[in-house]
């Protein structure tokens, strides 16, 4: 059901990388995944020259592309011309992805690890090896937290509605958090949740997950 509106969004806003990425992820998550087109869309995001308000979107898309290929090794992607040295996946034990539905809006991903250390835009790396991608201050995201070998214990995830410069008539902002494990492996797992953020300067707990010993 999501494919038609995502196709429309791509036709209307091809200058925004999220239009390509959203459609690619929807195609990849079909019961019968359309992997080849999904990879082609992510490769476009990874190689196109985007506006500076979309920082590191190329690296995020490339990471997602390699993970998609790892989970679908039989996909026919040779015709895309992707250099073979870029295809080996970068596996991470935990990955958290924050996106939202409003342009000109700054929402920040916070992840608090089992030691109580927070990782966010002002402190993008933790002592245990976690890191968060660059800060999206003008809309949509994604902001991504990754850690290759997570600590045992509970990780808390928050979304901080830092502010916006949009028309207030558009209403509250909806955020989506994805929690991914074994990302980049042959058998990844994913869960997602959505929340509404009503006012600026609001930081809310979105979810938490526990890592076993």
């Amino acid at each position: 059901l999501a494919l038609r509106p995502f196709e429309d969004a791509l036709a209307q806003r091809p200058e925004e990388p999220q239009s390509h990425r959203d459609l690619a992820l929807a195609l990849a998550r079909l019961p019968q995944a359309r992997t080849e087109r999904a990879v082609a869309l992510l490769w476009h995001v990874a190689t196109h020259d985007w506006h500076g308000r979309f920082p590191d979107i190329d690296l995020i898309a490339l990471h997602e592309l390699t993970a998609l290929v790892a989970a679908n090794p039989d996909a026919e992607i040779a015709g895309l011309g992707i250099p073979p040295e870029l295809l080996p996946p970068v596996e991470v034990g935990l990955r958290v992805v924050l996106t939202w539905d409003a342009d000109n809006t700054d929402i920040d991903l916070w992840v608090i690890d089992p030691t109580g250390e927070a990782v966010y835009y002002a402190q993008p790396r933790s002592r245990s090896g976690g890191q968060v991608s660059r800060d999206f201050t003008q809309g949509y995201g994604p902001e991504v937290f990754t850690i290759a070998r997570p600590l045992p214990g509970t990780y808390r995830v928050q979304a901080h509605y830092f502010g916006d410069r949009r028309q207030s008539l558009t209403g509250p902002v909806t955020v989506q958090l994805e929690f991914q494990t074994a990302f980049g492996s042959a058998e990844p797992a994913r869960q997602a949740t959505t929340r509404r953020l009503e006012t600026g300067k609001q930081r809310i707990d979105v979810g938490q997950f526990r890592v076993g010993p």
Side-chain angles (χ1 to χ4, degrees):
L1 293 176
L3 293 183
R4 179 61 182 272
F6 283 148
E7 292 277 13
D8 292 343
L10 177 57
Q12 295 168 16
R13 302 297 290 271
E15 74 279 6
E16 294 182 338
Q18 289 87 351
S19 301
H20 304 262
R21 178 179 175 270
D22 287 344
L23 177 57
L25 296 181
L27 291 166
R29 291 166 183 165
L30 290 171
Q32 298 295 324
R34 293 166 58 182
T35 305
E36 290 81 2
R37 189 176 179 212
V39 170
L41 288 162
L42 290 173
W43 182 236
H44 178 75
V45 177
T47 55
H48 192 71
D49 186 17
W50 303 105
H51 190 280
R53 69 191 184 98
F54 306 117
D56 283 354
I57 191 68
D58 52 345
L59 297 178
I60 293 170
L62 183 61
H63 195 191
E64 291 170 335
L65 184 159
T66 60
L68 180 57
V69 172
N72 299 273
D74 297 329
E76 297 291 339
I77 61 169
L80 297 176
I82 303 174
E85 62 270 21
L86 294 182
L87 288 175
V90 179
E91 295 189 34
V92 294
L94 290 175
R95 186 173 187 260
V96 181
V97 183
L98 171 70
T99 56
W100 55 97
D101 66 348
D103 199 3
N104 294 315
T105 303
D106 183 3
I107 298 178
D108 299 316
L109 172 65
W110 286 54
V111 178
I112 298 106
D113 71 18
T115 71
E117 185 176 11
V119 179
Y120 62 107
Y121 71 92
Q123 183 175 301
R125 294 177 181 272
S126 70
R127 289 185 293 272
S128 62
Q131 62 180 18
V132 69
S133 60
R134 289 175 60 192
D135 189 17
F136 265 80
T137 63
Q138 299 185 53
Y140 305 128
E143 293 191 8
V144 181
F145 169 85
T146 55
I147 184 168
R149 292 177 294 278
L151 298 172
T154 299
Y155 284 77
R156 292 171 51 212
V157 179
Q158 298 178 330
H160 182 197
Y161 192 160
F162 194 82
D164 64 60
R165 295 175 296 280
R166 64 197 177 94
Q167 295 292 330
S168 60
L169 292 176
T170 55
V173 178
T174 299
V175 299
Q176 182 180 62
L177 259 294
E178 295 186 11
F179 305 87
Q180 301 169 333
T181 56
F183 188 80
S185 73
E187 296 184 355
R190 167 184 172 270
Q191 289 186 331
T193 185
T194 58
R195 294 285 297 273
R196 300 294 293 275
L197 303 183
E198 300 288 344
T199 60
K201 306 299 182 182
Q202 177 185 17
R203 193 168 92 215
I204 65 169
D205 286 311
V206 181
Q208 64 182 26
F209 47 89
R210 181 167 178 80
V211 178

